[in-house]
Amino acid sequence: MNGLIIMLKKILLPTIVILLAYALWLSPDFNQIAAGVAIFLFGMLSLEQGFQSFTGGTLENILRVSTDKLWKSLSFGAISTTLMQSSSLVTVITISFLSVGILDLASGIGIIFGANLGTTTGAWLIAGFGLKVKIAAYAMPMLVLGILLVFQKNKTLKGLGAILAGMGFLFLGISYMKEGFETFRETIDLAQYALTGIQGLLIFTLIGIAATVVMQSSHATMVLIITALSVQQITYENALALAIGSNVGTTITAIIGAMSASVEGKRLAGAHLLFNVITGVIALLMINQFIHFVDVIAEAVNIGASDYTLKLAIFHTLFNLVGVLIMLPFIGRMVTFLERVLKGESIKVDQPKYLNDSAMAFPDTLVLAVRQETVRLYQHASHIILKTIGLSPSSVFSEQDLQQLVVQSRKITAYDVDAAYERSVKGIYSAIIAYISQASFTWEMLQSGSLYWLREASRHIVEAIKDTKHLQKNLLKMRFSSNHFVKEEYEKIRYQIADLLRQLELFRIQAETEGEEIGLLSFDVFKVKLKEQDLQMNASIDALIREHKIKPEEGTSLINDNSYMYEIKKHLVDMAETVFIIQQQKTTESERELVLDDGELMKVMQSDN
């Protein structure tokens, strides 16, 4: 499928360029329309980039509290799309939050439904304002001020400048398209190609789909439709069909974007397609009823009978609203259907390598088999933990400078912890527990204590993975933060986890490859260091909040994530105390009695101070 998409992209661009060049050569008057479309699309791109600079926490915080109920999801989708005039940006943000588990699919679908309503406001702005006044006069001040701000170093000012420049380009593009159609009418009257009846509906719906696929923007298509309608280059009935087609065509962008996304992203794109296609079919089947209701609404709000541009805006809103009302009760069934049709990858579960029935008869051999399998479980877990925090295990376990490696690997991508756990950990962990449970020797034997500690070590490994999954949510959101103090604190978290894993890997190699003995009491040094790092991190966060360098809510997230980091490291050290100790059983038992607990650790640290 990906190969087909790449091939289509390679064919599509040259085809569009050739057709565009031919159209420009055929009709010089077409230049102004084409330039208007290009300027409008560039304005949309600038507008999206401007709003992306403000997604560093604000939009995410709003999203977190605005999707716990369906009506809130709908409202968020409608309002955010109205403000940003970009359903694509809202969809991208929704997919990214869906992929890390902050949103569920039902909430995501609610946002998409709302975004479809929000995108209809663009038609109202163009028909009600863009064509009634000379908006090019408003475009110039916006462009001048916007470009001035874009060159500033401050990220907020740059974002604001991109938004102003985007709005200026949008207005300028609309003005060019309107004037272009007026000039074009003197050469070619497109209205003579109008089609009526079912044939006209279907053909112009397909043209609307094609235009939106080519321009990758339903907003741009609607601007073209409204400006062409305003100068009678297309008929009202054909404009309605084009609007329906643009609504369906806009889903192609989400579908192409979802090809490389997680299965949740694919499901959301599928929901978008289902909604828009079903809504389009309803609009086509009930076109006469919609036209009648549009006339009734227009008369009620004093819109002229011949003001077809505003009537088109009413129609665009009306059929999307009807689609939402019809589809809303079926969101649960849509989720079930999409989960059944678009299934996640089939996971090949790793099986235990060292656990076998022949070792059961020999207690020492059984303990060795469980120890080796637990080490293997730890290796899988360490890879999962490092990939979740955006680091390559091969790089961390090399001689590269770790601090530099963390800085170079700032771009963290979503990693499916659940799938990795199912694939590499769950099967082995379950097999270890089951294998230990089958051991038939008595608990008075020395090996029984070893098995108990090994089972605890396996549990610590699994708990470390669970804490890493909790940590991942804020690590991914941190990508959008504009506060470098927040980013630095999260880099400290990533560094400390990677540093511990590197040291534990050296212990593992020392114990297994070199055959050297590691004393259990040496891990007390680790525990003291972990506690010191935890206290220092909390003190640093408190200072940043006190000095107003980070917001209190950012500080709260950091404190929680520092707690997750501490638990991850503590679980790993507790695991290593059992798994990496290669000493005589009696010596180990004696040392266990001397190992410091948390209370004793605090006393040691206080005495050192």
Side-chain angles (χ1 to χ4, degrees):
M1 179 62 78
N2 287 335
L4 178 63
I5 295 296
I6 293 170
M7 185 179 71
L8 287 174
K9 285 182 177 179
K10 287 181 179 179
I11 295 171
L12 189 61
L13 181 60
T15 304
I16 292 170
V17 171
I18 292 168
L19 290 174
L20 186 60
Y22 178 71
L24 293 172
W25 173 78
L26 189 67
S27 173
D29 294 330
F30 183 69
N31 288 354
Q32 197 165 5
I33 299 172
V37 173
I39 292 169
F40 184 88
L41 289 174
F42 185 79
M44 286 198 64
L45 181 64
S46 180
L47 199 64
E48 285 191 15
Q49 289 175 342
F51 274 109
Q52 281 177 338
S53 67
F54 290 99
T55 58
T58 304
L59 191 58
E60 289 81 355
N61 290 333
I62 295 171
L63 182 60
R64 195 180 300 111
V65 299
S66 301
T67 56
D68 55 342
K69 290 183 174 60
L70 185 56
W71 69 269
K72 288 186 178 181
S73 298
L74 281 166
S75 301
F76 177 85
I79 294 170
S80 58
T81 306
T82 298
L83 292 174
M84 291 185 278
Q85 285 298 294
S86 173
S87 57
S88 299
L89 179 57
V90 174
T91 302
V92 167
I93 292 171
T94 304
I95 288 174
S96 68
F97 274 71
L98 195 65
S99 65
V100 297
I102 295 176
L103 286 176
D104 57 26
L105 185 57
S107 297
I109 292 173
I111 292 173
I112 294 301
F113 283 10
N116 267 60
L117 285 177
T119 198
T120 66
T121 59
W124 284 99
L125 290 171
I126 299 158
F129 173 71
L131 301 179
K132 306 297 182 184
V133 297
K134 193 172 180 62
I135 58 174
Y138 294 92
M140 297 308 172
M142 286 182 175
L143 284 171
V144 172
L145 184 57
I147 297 301
L148 179 66
L149 293 176
V150 163
F151 284 99
Q152 303 306 306
K153 291 183 178 180
N154 184 280
K155 187 177 179 181
T156 302
L157 291 177
K158 285 174 74 75
L160 183 60
I163 292 171
L164 283 173
M167 290 297 294
F169 282 122
L170 289 182
F171 285 4
L172 195 61
I174 293 168
S175 178
Y176 265 75
M177 279 186 269
K178 182 173 180 284
E179 292 174 8
F181 272 115
E182 288 174 347
T183 306
F184 194 64
R185 183 176 56 179
E186 298 173 4
T187 307
I188 301 174
D189 184 9
L190 294 177
Q192 64 182 316
Y193 299 104
L195 295 171
T196 57
I198 295 176
Q199 183 185 23
L201 275 176
L202 295 177
I203 290 175
F204 276 85
T205 298
L206 291 174
I207 292 172
I209 293 172
T212 307
V213 169
V214 168
M215 290 187 286
Q216 297 285 291
S217 169
S218 61
H219 278 74
T221 307
M222 285 302 298
V223 170
L224 269 176
I225 296 167
I226 292 171
T227 50
L229 181 61
S230 69
V231 294
Q232 291 90 48
Q233 279 285 58
I234 55 174
T235 64
Y236 175 53
E237 289 77 12
N238 289 164
L240 299 182
L242 287 168
I244 295 169
S246 73
N247 228 49
V248 176
T250 193
T251 61
I252 302 299
T253 305
I255 291 170
I256 292 173
M259 288 297 176
S260 58
S262 65
V263 67
E264 291 295 333
K266 291 181 175 68
R267 287 168 181 163
L268 190 64
H272 196 191
L273 178 64
L274 277 175
F275 172 77
N276 285 38
V277 169
I278 292 171
T279 302
V281 170
I282 292 170
L284 287 172
L285 292 175
M286 301 179 65
I287 190 70
N288 292 325
Q289 288 83 352
F290 275 112
I291 291 173
H292 171 71
F293 278 112
V294 167
D295 290 339
V296 171
I297 294 170
E299 185 178 351
V301 294
N302 295 320
I303 292 175
S306 60
D307 195 345
Y308 293 117
T309 54
L310 279 176
K311 281 188 172 183
L312 177 60
I314 295 173
F315 172 78
H316 195 212
T317 301
L318 187 61
F319 85 80
N320 272 288
L321 180 61
V322 169
V324 169
L325 294 175
I326 290 174
M327 297 294 291
L328 210 54
F330 299 100
I331 284 184
R333 293 184 183 181
M334 187 184 289
V335 170
T336 303
F337 171 76
L338 290 167
E339 288 176 345
R340 187 169 66 248
V341 173
L342 297 172
K343 296 180 179 177
E345 295 181 19
S346 55
I347 300 171
K348 185 179 178 182
V349 178
D350 279 357
Q351 297 300 321
K353 182 178 178 181
Y354 299 103
L355 309 181
N356 53 73
D357 294 337
S358 60
M360 277 288 182
F362 307 98
D364 289 332
T365 307
L366 187 150
V367 170
L368 179 60
V370 174
R371 184 186 297 275
Q372 288 175 312
E373 202 64 61
T374 307
V375 170
R376 187 162 167 258
L377 182 70
Y378 161 72
Q379 288 177 302
H380 286 316
S382 65
H383 282 225
I384 291 172
I385 293 169
L386 288 173
K387 287 179 180 177
T388 304
I389 63 174
L391 296 172
S392 165
S394 59
S395 299
V396 171
F397 297 144
S398 68
E399 294 182 358
Q400 291 187 48
D401 182 86
L402 196 55
Q403 193 75 56
Q404 187 178 3
L405 182 64
V406 171
V407 173
Q408 291 173 346
S409 307
R410 282 176 174 166
K411 188 177 180 181
I412 304 173
T413 55
Y415 182 70
D416 196 335
V417 179
D418 288 329
Y421 175 81
E422 292 285 336
R423 180 175 60 250
S424 303
V425 173
K426 186 177 181 180
I428 298 174
Y429 178 55
S430 300
I432 289 172
I433 300 302
Y435 194 74
I436 291 174
S437 300
Q438 293 172 16
S440 58
F441 49 84
T442 64
W443 281 103
E444 285 78 16
M445 297 177 66
L446 292 175
Q447 292 84 357
S448 299
S450 296
L451 288 181
Y452 170 79
W453 289 111
L454 286 169
R455 183 167 59 186
E456 284 295 291
S458 296
R459 184 183 63 80
H460 284 305
I461 293 170
V462 171
E463 291 298 325
I465 295 173
K466 289 179 180 179
D467 288 328
T468 305
K469 183 184 175 182
H470 290 302
L471 176 63
Q472 182 189 48
K473 291 182 180 180
N474 283 335
L475 275 176
L476 289 169
K477 284 189 290 182
M478 176 269 297
R479 296 175 299 175
F480 301 108
S481 177
S482 57
N483 189 326
H484 72 276
F485 292 109
V486 172
K487 289 186 175 183
E488 285 174 4
E489 292 305 304
Y490 276 106
E491 282 183 10
K492 289 180 187 177
I493 289 174
R494 294 170 65 218
Y495 172 80
Q496 289 185 27
I497 293 172
D499 183 50
L500 176 63
L501 285 169
R502 174 180 277 188
Q503 292 182 62
L504 291 181
E505 182 66 8
L506 292 174
F507 270 117
R508 186 188 70 80
I509 294 170
Q510 180 184 344
E512 295 184 3
T513 306
E514 301 174 12
E516 295 183 15
E517 292 187 350
I518 303 172
L520 183 61
L521 296 178
S522 63
F523 281 95
D524 281 344
V525 177
F526 270 125
K527 290 186 176 183
V528 171
K529 183 179 179 181
L530 297 189
K531 202 67 182 176
E532 287 177 343
Q533 287 176 337
D534 180 54
L535 294 174
Q536 289 170 2
M537 193 80 173
N538 281 316
S540 174
I541 296 167
D542 288 340
L544 289 172
I545 297 172
R546 192 166 52 251
E547 295 165 10
H548 306 290
K549 292 179 178 178
I550 63 175
K551 298 175 184 176
E553 55 269 26
E554 292 172 329
T556 302
S557 296
L558 275 168
I559 290 170
N560 289 336
D561 291 330
N562 180 52
S563 177
Y564 285 129
M565 175 186 67
Y566 177 74
E567 289 301 318
I568 291 167
K569 295 191 295 182
K570 189 171 183 300
H571 283 305
L572 292 174
V573 170
D574 287 342
M575 173 279 307
E577 281 184 338
T578 295
V579 177
F580 297 160
I581 300 300
I582 312 296
Q583 285 195 320
Q584 294 297 320
Q585 185 71 29
K586 288 182 179 178
T587 307
T588 303
E589 282 184 344
S590 300
E591 288 186 339
R592 284 197 189 280
E593 295 177 2
L594 299 174
V595 168
L596 300 177
D597 59 24
D598 285 347
E600 291 168 327
L601 279 174
M602 292 301 297
K603 291 179 181 178
V604 169
M605 292 172 61
Q606 290 170 359
S607 64
D608 289 342
N609 294 332

